[in-house]
């Protein structure tokens, strides 16, 4: 018995150094379920229905729009202007949502002045250019590759947000920038494995460059839009964001329509429909659903920002990248090499780091 005493003392010392967890895993799960249930009861059922619809719109509509853009080129479409025009042709759908929102909230649209109008015109022009760049990317790149490269817009959003809006950049965001850049480099090194047979080396490089430039311009548009809220609108609410989306899309639609007219692409739709695989009905269905899905994705993203948080919206943006890649592999038989899978994992890691850094910055600056 005397020999067992040191062992008992040693055991007590180990308990002090390595205390047993006071709360079991099941207790933690139970607490989480209780907190989730309390949060669920705190909000009306209509809130959760809207949250479900908005998140579904982001996770389904955006990937569907990307897939349809690639289907257009796979089945005989050739025009870059048509795809960029389709991206903003659905702007009346957002306007149809805006007017009832103003009526329900008993608010009037923000009065237009010269400065605000010029800001909308500039953002509309940049959006039209951005859509055209992405159209070139989808013309020459597989949908999965184009979606992965487009994730680099997070890098430019962080940089332009820091330079223009003075947003904070944390070490987690810096890590995200490095990781996503690494993912883009991986795709560049593996370019020979996912190139379509009818795409030349110069066209593939052009699609790669236009995708990165489009991502950079997208980041600039995001920062400038935030600046418009801060400097010109002075308030941030759901209907105000819808107002901006409608006006920017309207001017982008006007600029893209001018490009369509100059390039004779409205007449070109008729000739493209004749040779389109599946016939005229398939051709116009692809264009119509491309316009609808893109606008539904925009509406879903806008609603998520105000129903939940920027962090949750960022999570959904991160999730839709692999969804687009997997859908492209299944539906379009996109090649999926080991390098592309590694790039996909790195991109998801970068998104996670960015979301964590953005969450930390928002806590530091409420």
């Amino acid at each position: 018995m005397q020999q067992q005493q040191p062992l008992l003392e040693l055991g007590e010392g180990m308990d002090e150094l390595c205390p047993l967890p006071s709360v079991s895993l099941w207790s933690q799960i139970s607490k989480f379920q209780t907190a989730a249930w309390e949060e669920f009861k705190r909000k009306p059922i209509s809130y959760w229905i809207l949250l479900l619809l908005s998140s579904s719109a982001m996770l389904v509509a955006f990937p569907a729009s990307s897939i349809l853009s690639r289907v257009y080129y796979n089945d005989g479409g050739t025009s870059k202007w048509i795809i960029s025009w389709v991206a903003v042709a659905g702007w009346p759908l957002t306007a149809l949502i805006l007017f009832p929102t103003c009526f329900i909230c008993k608010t009037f649209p923000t009065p237009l002045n010269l400065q605000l109008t010029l800001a909308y015109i500039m953002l509309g022009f940049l959006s039209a250019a951005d859509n055209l760049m992405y159209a070139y990317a989808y013309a020459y790149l597989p949908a999965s590759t184009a979606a992965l490269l487009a994730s680099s817009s997070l890098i430019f959003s962080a940089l332009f947000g820091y330079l223009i809006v003075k947003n904070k950049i944390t070490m987690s965001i810096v890590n995200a920038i490095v990781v996503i850049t690494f993912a883009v480099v991986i795709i560049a090194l593996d370019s020979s494995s996912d190139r379509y047979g009818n795409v030349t080396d110069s066209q593939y490089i052009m699609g790669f460059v236009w995708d990165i430039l489009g991502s950079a311009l997208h980041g600039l548009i995001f920062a400038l839009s935030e600046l418009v809220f801060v400097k010109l609108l002075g308030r941030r609410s759901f209907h105000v964001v819808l107002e901006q989306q409608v006006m920017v899309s309207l001017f982008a639609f006007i600029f893209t329509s001018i490009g369509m007219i100059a390039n004779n692409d409205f007449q070109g739709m008729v000739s493209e429909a004749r040779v389109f695989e599946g016939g005229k009905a398939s051709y116009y269905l692809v264009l119509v659903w491309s316009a609808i899905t893109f606008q539904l994705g925009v509406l879903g993203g806008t609603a998520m920002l105000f129903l939940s948080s920027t962090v949750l919206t960022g999570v959904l943006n991160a999730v839709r990248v692999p969804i687009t890649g997997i859908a492209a592999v299944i539906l379009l038989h996109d090649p999926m090499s080991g390098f592309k899978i590694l790039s996909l994992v790195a991109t998801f890691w970068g998104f996670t780091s960015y979301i964590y850094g953005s969450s930390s910055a928002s806590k530091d600056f409420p």
Side-chain angles (χ1 to χ4, degrees):
M1 293 295 292
Q2 291 178 351
Q3 293 177 349
Q4 292 178 357
Q5 186 66 27
L7 293 177
L8 291 173
E9 292 176 354
L10 178 61
E12 292 173 357
M14 290 299 293
D15 287 342
E16 293 177 359
L17 292 174
C18 303
L20 295 174
S22 59
V23 181
S24 67
L25 176 62
W26 290 113
S27 298
Q28 293 179 8
I29 294 175
S30 178
K31 286 184 178 180
F32 175 78
Q33 290 176 336
T34 302
W37 178 246
E38 291 298 325
E39 180 66 20
F40 177 78
K41 292 192 296 183
R42 195 177 297 121
K43 301 287 179 64
I45 190 65
S46 58
Y47 169 87
W48 297 108
I49 293 174
L50 285 174
L51 191 71
L52 177 63
L53 292 175
S54 301
S55 57
S56 299
M58 285 192 68
L59 294 179
V60 176
F62 273 137
S65 178
S66 299
I67 295 297
L68 287 170
S69 296
R70 189 57 242 179
V71 167
Y72 166 80
Y73 290 113
N74 280 355
D75 290 357
T78 59
S79 173
K80 285 75 177 178
W81 278 107
I82 289 177
I83 286 297
S84 59
W85 179 80
V86 162
V88 288
W91 70 269
L93 182 62
T94 309
L96 289 175
I97 303 296
L98 172 62
F99 294 129
T101 302
C102 290
F103 178 77
I104 294 172
C105 297
K106 298 180 180 180
T107 58
F108 293 96
T110 305
L112 288 176
N113 53 40
L114 179 60
Q115 194 174 13
L116 186 58
T117 303
L118 290 176
Y120 285 152
I121 292 173
M122 178 189 66
L123 288 173
F125 176 79
L126 293 177
S127 295
D130 189 43
N131 292 332
L132 186 60
M133 291 178 185
Y134 279 133
Y136 272 94
Y138 278 95
Y140 301 132
L141 300 176
S144 55
T145 302
L148 283 170
L149 291 175
S151 66
S152 63
S153 63
L154 270 183
I155 299 174
F156 301 104
S157 294
L159 294 176
F160 285 122
Y162 173 76
L163 295 172
I164 296 175
V165 197
K166 307 303 180 185
N167 289 338
K168 185 180 180 181
I169 293 184
T170 65
M171 286 306 300
S172 295
I173 293 177
V174 172
N175 178 68
I177 291 173
V178 173
V179 171
I180 294 176
T181 302
F182 171 70
V184 172
V185 171
I186 291 175
I187 296 178
L189 295 175
D190 192 44
S191 59
S192 60
S193 69
D194 67 346
R195 189 179 311 167
Y196 290 122
N198 61 340
V199 175
T200 65
D201 290 347
S202 60
Q203 286 176 331
Y204 186 92
I205 294 172
M206 184 185 300
F208 194 99
V209 171
W210 281 123
D211 206 339
I212 298 298
L213 290 176
S215 299
L217 187 54
H218 187 79
L220 176 62
I221 292 170
F222 189 84
L224 291 175
S225 298
E226 190 171 353
L227 187 65
V228 169
F229 279 115
V230 173
K231 298 293 185 181
L232 300 181
L233 295 175
R235 55 187 178 136
R236 191 187 290 262
S237 63
F238 184 66
H239 73 88
V240 170
V241 174
L242 282 180
E243 284 178 22
Q244 188 195 53
Q245 185 61 42
V246 168
M247 296 302 298
V248 171
S249 296
L250 172 60
F251 284 113
F253 175 77
I254 293 172
F255 284 120
T256 311
S257 297
I258 293 173
M260 289 274 291
I261 294 170
N263 205 45
N264 294 320
D265 274 341
F266 283 115
Q267 296 87 339
M269 282 184 177
V270 179
S271 58
E272 277 192 349
R274 293 197 195 101
V275 299
F276 197 76
E277 188 175 331
K280 293 182 179 180
S282 296
Y283 178 81
Y284 290 113
L285 280 174
V286 166
L287 296 185
V288 169
W289 279 109
S290 293
I292 292 174
T293 52
F294 188 84
Q295 288 300 314
L296 286 177
V298 170
L299 285 170
T302 303
M304 286 301 300
L305 284 172
F306 293 95
L307 290 172
S308 58
S309 66
T310 305
V311 175
L312 181 55
T313 306
V315 170
L316 295 178
N317 263 321
V319 172
R320 73 181 176 94
V321 172
I323 289 177
T324 303
I326 294 170
V329 171
I330 296 173
L331 300 176
L332 304 178
H333 308 293
D334 270 13
M336 182 61 75
S337 64
F339 280 103
K340 190 180 287 187
I341 293 174
L342 178 60
S343 177
L344 183 63
V345 173
T347 300
F348 197 81
W349 175 19
F351 267 114
T352 304
S353 183
Y354 183 90
I355 292 164
Y356 177 79
S358 298
S359 177
S360 300
S362 63
K363 289 178 181 178
D364 292 338
F365 297 94

